[in-house]
Amino acid sequence: MGKMRELYVNYLTGAYVTVNGKIFCEVKSDLSVDGITLTQGDYVMLSVKRAFSLWLAGYVEPCLIASMK
């Protein structure tokens, strides 16, 4: 539950890079999404639901907006 809370709090507070409700994520491990093969280091826009499940599995990491401090 902690990771789910973290993702949704960051999503709702604008801490993640988002476009039209999708989260910008960096691919951490090779995977195939909707017939497209992604390799480590690629970037992809994912729905919140898909980003959460792939983040839990260790395939992607949501991109945070840099702090302005």
Side-chain angles (χ1 to χ4, degrees):
M1 288 299 280
K3 286 196 94 146
M4 182 184 292
R5 181 177 186 273
E6 179 183 342
L7 182 101
Y8 280 102
V9 167
N10 285 336
Y11 175 72
L12 294 173
T13 60
Y16 289 139
V17 178
T18 61
V19 176
N20 295 327
K22 293 188 175 190
I23 300 174
F24 191 61
C25 298
E26 180 180 2
V27 176
K28 295 295 185 178
S29 183
D30 296 356
L31 74 141
S32 181
V33 176
D34 296 331
I36 299 169
T37 301
L38 300 167
T39 59
Q40 185 177 3
D42 288 345
Y43 289 89
V44 64
M45 298 295 295
L46 298 169
S47 67
V48 175
K49 182 178 177 181
R50 183 163 283 175
F52 177 67
S53 61
L54 292 174
W55 181 48
L56 278 179
Y59 287 104
V60 301
E61 182 72 32
C63 295
L64 291 167
I65 294 176
S67 174
M68 300 296 286
K69 292 181 182 181

